[in-house]
């Protein structure tokens, strides 16, 4: 192996250069002894990481320095966050403890570092270490939101330097990013960071799609710049005539945003009309009403020249988003017949839009009426986080509840007295009741919306005025959990139900333990989790509750014993040693014994290992030979093979990264894989015959199903068929696209009807 020469002196100069740049950038924030404290943190981090290098080969200290630079330069945080960023990996990677950090740098820094330090040790059967770590980090939000902000900058730098990581690590880290960190950045108003995280996710999760959109943006840049200049010329003249100080920017949407639109709308790049937005930034005094007036004045100037689409006007000035975002959005028709999105806001609003929660501290002395919104959201999240913090088995459920707080679309409704309530889109009258007060929600019978009686399941619309009708006889039931969407309502309903269900759970657990002993089975958390999975319950507690309630009869445990004995007999026959755990370690042992001790010995070879390891192709995404795939170790169903683009991939990798296996196709024999094609085009006589002839006669492909629907000369057909691999499928798509009348052919997941 070739040894790379390291110039230690040059590295030392680079480190000092990065450190001096950090101090220079932070200078406007520094007070008293701040510079000395940052120097102390830098020296401590240098000493702690002196013998460590990143996978790329560069000194590890580059990473904490880069994170600290992002903290101050791109978010605008001060000394405490800079110190925490410099030290964020010290406790996790070295012998230094949280107590040491507290003694040297104070309790605030120690609290942030503690929130950023991963949990070590062995985890219970069926639990998720990733979910536990997410929860530990997020719980620190109750004390200091900076732990989340530093973690986001840490993740951003890791994503920026992901090239040096192996493919499976790239997928895992990218999946976590899109599943939790990008939505979290959005919710905190960090739009610049959110967009970059999304783009970097796409770069590693779907590199071909990323390169294709990126290339198209480069190719169209000159034409786009020319169009923006022509579009903004008359607006600029009138803004100057009105005496407004302004900046106009024309910027393309993010690569991920464009790709997402292409995917959701099933359109090519050329047919996405809102590829960019015009942003007008007004230099205005920070008085709230004055800012609004100037933005509306600019809007009037824009609509003097271009006709607006009345359905696309969004006023986030009067009703800011919950994360504090303020702007006026309008879509207008250009003179070339192209729709253009125009965003109008002040420079202060723009800084908050880019830097989010952190930027509010800069303006907190001004009465902008905005800071309250984001504070309300932080307080609401804190309430959610503080519910049920002790149950380790609920970490995944906890993560799901937190993610429900990261909604991007909102609905605005009013109380009878005119108080505005901002809830996530899809919220019901029952959500509204719980948002007013827990007791109001618990006794909610119905609602009046605009004076008309409505059920508690009524889905709120913007502008609704809602009056809640209550009754002392009413109390929450399990069906309510299917009605509400907000985490606050769900948490309160669960609290009410918990008291009632606790007795059933206790009784149920005693009954199960007694029955297990009678059946000769071990009473242990592992057995409880196997029972949970066997009876398809979310948690062992849920299983005990169902037993206590009588939904599951005790005699049914005999079926479980029979299943368990059958599985153990099968394992003995196959001579697969090692305990059955959901972390994939036993599977890895088998893979090593099959493939030997080589670099990729943990890779499942699909097609060769079938007789030694139990795996199946997952029906949720129908992978076929040639697809980029991974293996997921289930608790009771062996290994399932998923496409990396599977709709469930990000969630699986984020929650259960330790159960992910590298996998690749290695089959030497031809196999048939189910795939789905969606064909659209203009109808004509003989078209279906031409399509089926190519499939059945030319390529000798077997069809499993064919449905065709035509309306007013346009047809759409779904075909489920069997192909050998992705190249076989691509050949078929190319042939079908050349059929006269066929407009588009797209692959879809045959079981989910999701176009991919």
């Amino acid at each position: 192996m070739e040894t790379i020469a390291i110039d230690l002196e040059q590295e030392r100069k680079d480190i000092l250069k990065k450190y001096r740049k950090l101090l220079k950038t932070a200078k406007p924030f520094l007070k008293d002894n701040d510079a000395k404290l940052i120097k102390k943190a830098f020296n401590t981090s240098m000493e702690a990481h002196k013998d460590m290098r990143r996978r790329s080969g560069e000194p590890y200290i580059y990473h904490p320095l880069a994170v600290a630079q992002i903290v101050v330069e791109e978010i605008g945080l001060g000394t405490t966050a800079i110190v925490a960023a410099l030290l964020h990996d010290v406790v996790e990677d070295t012998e230094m403890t949280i107590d040491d950090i507290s003694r040297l740098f104070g309790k605030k820094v120690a609290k942030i570092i503690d929130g950023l330090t991963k949990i070590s040790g062995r985890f219970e059967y069926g639990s998720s270490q990733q979910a536990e770590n997410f929860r530990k980090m997020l719980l620190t939000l109750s004390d200091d939101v900076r732990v989340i902000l530093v973690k986001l900058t840490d993740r951003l730098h890791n994503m920026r330097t992901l090239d040096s990581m192996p493919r499976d690590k790239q997928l895992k880290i990218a999946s976590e990013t899109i599943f939790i960190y990008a939505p979290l950045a959005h919710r905190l108003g960090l739009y610049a960071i959110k967009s970059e995280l999304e783009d970097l996710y796409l770069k590693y999760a779907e590199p071909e799609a990323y390169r294709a959109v990126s290339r198209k943006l480069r190719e169209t840049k000159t034409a786009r710049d020319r169009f923006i200049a022509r579009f903004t010329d008359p607006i600029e003249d009138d803004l100057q005539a009105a005496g407004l100080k302004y900046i106009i920017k024309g910027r393309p949407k993010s690569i991920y945003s464009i790709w997402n639109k292409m995917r959701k709308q099933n359109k090519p790049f050329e047919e996405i009309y809102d590829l960019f937005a015009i942003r007008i930034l007004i230099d205005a005094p920070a008085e709230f009403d004055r800012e609004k007036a100037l933005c509306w004045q600019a809007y009037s100037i824009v609509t003097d020249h271009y006709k607006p689409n009345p359905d696309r006007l969004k006023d986030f000035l009067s009703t800011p988003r919950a994360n504090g975002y303020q702007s006026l959005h309008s879509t207008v028709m250009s003179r070339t017949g192209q729709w253009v999105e125009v965003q109008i806001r002040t420079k202060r609003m723009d800084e908050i839009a880019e830097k989010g929660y952190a930027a509010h501290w800069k303006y907190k002395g001004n009465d902008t009426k905005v800071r309250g919104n984001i504070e309300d959201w932080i307080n609401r999240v804190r309430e959610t986080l503080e519910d049920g913090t002790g149950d380790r088995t609920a970490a995944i459920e906890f993560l799901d509840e937190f993610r429900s707080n990261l909604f991007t679309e909102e609905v605005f409704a009013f109380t009878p007295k005119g108080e505005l309530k901002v809830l996530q889109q899809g919220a019901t009258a029952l959500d509204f009741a719980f948002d007013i007060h827990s007791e109001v929600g618990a006794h909610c019978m119905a609602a009046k919306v605009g004076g008309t009686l409505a059920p508690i399941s009524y889905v709120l619309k913007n502008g609704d005025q809602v009056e809640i009708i209550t009754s002392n006889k009413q109390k929450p039931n399990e069906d309510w959990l299917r009605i509400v969407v907000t985490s606050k309502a769900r948490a309160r309903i669960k609290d009410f139900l918990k008291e009632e269900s606790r007795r059933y759970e206790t009784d149920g657990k005693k009954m199960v333990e007694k029955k297990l002993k009678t059946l000769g089975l071990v009473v242990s958390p592992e057995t409880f989790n196997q029972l949970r999975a066997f009876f398809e319950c979310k948690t062992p507690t849920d299983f005990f509750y169902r037993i206590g309630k009588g939904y599951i009869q005790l005699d049914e445990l005999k079926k479980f014993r029979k299943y368990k004995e059958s599985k153990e007999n099968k394992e003995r026959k196959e001579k697969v040693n090692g305990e059955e755990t959901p972390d994939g370690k036993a599977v890895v042992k088998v893979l090593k014994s099959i493939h030997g001790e080589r670099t990729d010995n943990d890779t499942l070879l699909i097609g060769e290992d079938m007789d030694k390891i139990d795996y199946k192709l997952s029906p949720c995404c129908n992978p076929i030979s040639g697809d980029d795939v991974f293996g997921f170790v289930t608790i009771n169903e062996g290994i399932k093979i998923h496409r990396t683009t599977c709709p469930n991939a990000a969630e699986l990798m984020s929650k259960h990264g330790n159960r992910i296996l590298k996998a690749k196709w290695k089959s030497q024999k031809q196999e048939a894989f189910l795939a789905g094609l969606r064909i659209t085009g203009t109808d004509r006589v003989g078209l279906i015959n031409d399509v089926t002839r190519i499939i059945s006669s030319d390529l000798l492909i077997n069809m499993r199903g064919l449905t065709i629907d035509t309306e007013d000369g346009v047809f759409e057909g779904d075909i489920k068929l069997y192909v050998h691999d992705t190249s076989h499928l691509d050949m078929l798509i190319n042939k079908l696209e050349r059929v006269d009348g066929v407009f588009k052919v797209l692959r879809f997941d045959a079981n989910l009807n999701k176009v991919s």
Side-chain angles (χ1 to χ4, degrees), residues 11 20 38 67 77 135 165 275 327 389 529 545 653 696:
E11 284 186 348
R20 287 175 184 141
I38 292 171
V67 173
L77 295 180
R135 179 164 74 167
M165 300 297 282
L275 289 170
S327 190
T389 57
N529 197 64
Y545 171 78
M653 291 184 186
S696 300

Side-chain angles (χ1 to χ4, degrees), residues 199-422:
D199 281 357
L200 289 167
Y201 158 78
L202 190 64
K203 178 181 178 181
Y204 293 102
E206 299 209 33
E208 289 183 13
Y210 176 85
R211 286 193 292 268
V213 175
S214 182
R215 185 177 63 252
K216 292 279 188 181
L217 282 173
R218 286 196 304 272
E219 290 170 354
T220 57
K221 185 179 186 305
T222 303
R224 194 167 59 245
D225 290 346
R226 195 182 307 122
F227 174 88
I228 290 170
R230 284 200 299 264
F231 180 89
T232 56
D233 275 348
I235 298 173
E236 291 196 62
D237 291 341
D238 286 4
L239 288 172
Q240 288 172 4
L244 293 175
K245 295 179 181 178
Y246 66 91
I247 295 173
I248 293 186
K249 299 178 181 178
R251 55 198 299 180
K253 297 278 181 78
S254 71
I255 294 173
Y256 176 86
S257 174
I258 294 169
W259 169 80
N260 212 21
K261 283 181 180 290
M262 291 166 61
R263 187 169 58 96
K264 286 183 176 178
Q265 298 174 15
N266 294 331
K267 291 181 178 178
F269 178 90
E270 291 73 19
E271 293 180 27
I272 303 296
Y273 70 85
D274 51 348
L275 289 170
F276 59 89
I278 305 294
R279 188 172 296 168
I280 302 174
L281 306 180
I282 306 296
D283 190 355
E287 292 88 1
F288 186 63
D289 292 334
R290 182 68 177 144
E291 281 186 305
K292 284 172 60 179
L294 292 175
C295 288
W296 281 109
Q297 185 180 354
Y299 170 78
S300 176
I301 289 171
V302 171
T303 54
D304 283 344
H305 293 280
Y306 304 107
K307 191 172 181 62
N309 182 337
D311 296 328
R312 296 289 297 252
L313 177 63
K314 294 180 181 177
D315 177 11
F316 297 117
L317 298 177
S318 305
T319 51
R321 283 177 168 158
N323 57 21
Y325 178 85
Q326 279 185 289
S327 190
L328 190 59
H329 292 196
S330 179
T331 302
V332 300
M333 179 62 75
S334 69
R335 288 169 186 150
T336 58
Q338 184 177 350
W339 288 108
V340 178
E341 183 183 340
V342 180
Q343 302 171 356
I344 303 169
R345 53 187 183 241
T346 65
K347 287 184 177 179
R348 179 193 67 82
M349 295 173 187
D350 190 58
E351 187 169 355
I352 288 173
E354 295 297 314
K355 294 184 177 178
Y357 186 82
H360 285 277
W361 301 109
K362 181 176 178 179
Y363 299 100
K364 64 182 178 181
N366 300 317
D367 182 20
T368 62
K369 303 179 186 178
V370 177
R371 223 168 66 84
N373 277 343
I374 197 162
E375 292 290 357
D376 288 346
W377 179 74
I378 291 289
N379 289 332
R380 186 173 298 181
V381 171
R382 281 173 180 154
E383 287 178 19
T384 304
L385 296 179
E386 286 161 5
D387 286 323
T389 57
D391 184 5
R392 294 194 71 183
T393 61
I396 292 175
E397 186 177 348
F398 171 92
L399 181 57
D400 289 336
E401 289 290 354
F402 180 77
R403 284 191 79 250
S404 73
N405 276 281
L406 304 181
F407 57 88
T408 57
E409 297 300 326
E410 298 159 338
V411 63
F412 303 94
F414 296 88
T415 67
K417 292 184 178 180
E419 182 186 351
L420 175 65
K421 294 287 181 182
V422 182

Side-chain angles (χ1 to χ4, degrees), residues 591-606:
L591 290 172
K592 287 181 177 179
S593 69
I594 296 169
H595 303 306
E597 295 290 339
R598 62 175 192 269
T599 308
D600 62 345
N601 59 357
D602 295 355
T603 301
L604 177 64
L605 304 178
I606 306 170

